[in-house]
Amino acid sequence: LLKQAKELGANKIAIREKMYGIWLSYNWLDYFRYTKNVALGLKALGLKRGENIGIITDNHPEWLFTEIGAQALGAITVNLFTSSIAKELTTMLNRIQAAYVVAQDQEQVDKLLEMKEQLSHVRKVIYVDQTGMRTYTHHPWLMSFKELLDLGAKLDQEQPNLFEEELWKGKPDEVALMIMTSGTTGIPKLAMISHRSFTEI
């Protein structure tokens, strides 16, 4: 992503998303900036290299920003189904001992709040869609994705070299993400995918 942003910049579209019937576009610099701010926002919250992050989102750009941002800091991401019930999400988040969770909306946040007592390892839940979340804004366990981005942008201003320093600490054979198997013959297993798996041709 860093290489693509440097080469293609603002001249090429990286991501398109249709919202309310209108196509929104992100160029490669946008893509990189949002990803960096997510990474540094997580860093500011206390994310450590090798920790796991649960992602419960729909197929939106925020999913990509979160996944690549966390991986840039050496964290491991695990994508969970938005259709899962609260107990299923809790079981998987406990299996991976998720330090942070990025959730799509109020529906997903409510599932996690229902099981909060069983998720002691989750330090913060970050929600993407703020619709219906007005009464949740002062809950100490929750924060909005916008707040995460703002936190990251602030840290970037204070330490402009920090992101690339953290990025280049990564090694090709480190785990980038874990993917759940179908679980048709039992409890789903977690397949570990390295960074090298994404870059080898």
Side-chain angles (χ1 to χ4, degrees), residues 81 88 92 95 179-191:
F81 298 113
E88 290 170 339
M92 186 55 68
R95 279 183 70 188
I179 298 175
M180 286 187 292
T181 62
S182 61
T184 53
T185 58
I187 297 173
K189 298 176 178 63
L190 286 165

Side-chain angles (χ1 to χ4, degrees), residues 50-55 63-64 66-72 74-80 92 96 171-181 189-199:
E51 288 190 314
N52 299 325
I53 292 183
I55 302 176
W63 160 58
L64 293 171
T66 299
E67 184 133 85
I68 300 175
Q71 292 168 3
I76 301 163
T77 55
V78 181
N79 291 283
L80 306 174
M92 186 55 68
I96 66 171
K171 302 292 186 293
D173 292 318
E174 291 176 346
V175 176
L177 79 159
M178 292 187 282
I179 298 175
M180 286 187 292
T181 62
K189 298 176 178 63
L190 286 165
M192 294 184 288
I193 312 297
S194 71
H195 289 276
R196 189 187 299 278
S197 298
F198 291 105
T199 57

Side-chain angles (χ1 to χ4, degrees), residues 119-163:
L119 294 168
S120 59
H121 47 80
V122 175
R123 300 199 286 271
K124 191 74 75 173
V125 173
I126 301 147
Y127 53 89
V128 174
D129 186 348
Q130 298 188 54
T131 305
M133 298 297 294
R134 188 177 61 180
T135 58
Y136 296 66
T137 52
H138 299 296
H139 196 296
W141 201 46
L142 309 177
M143 74 182 299
S144 71
F145 199 80
K146 182 185 182 305
E147 289 174 306
L148 181 71
L149 291 172
D150 290 344
L151 201 59
K154 182 174 182 291
L155 183 57
D156 190 38
Q157 286 185 335
E158 295 168 355
Q159 301 183 56
N161 298 320
L162 180 60
F163 177 79

Side-chain angles (χ1 to χ4, degrees), residues 30-48:
D30 294 330
Y31 191 177
F32 176 73
R33 185 179 73 255
Y34 281 113
T35 298
K36 178 171 69 169
N37 286 343
V38 168
L40 292 175
L42 291 168
K43 180 74 174 176
L45 288 176
L47 178 69
K48 298 178 180 64

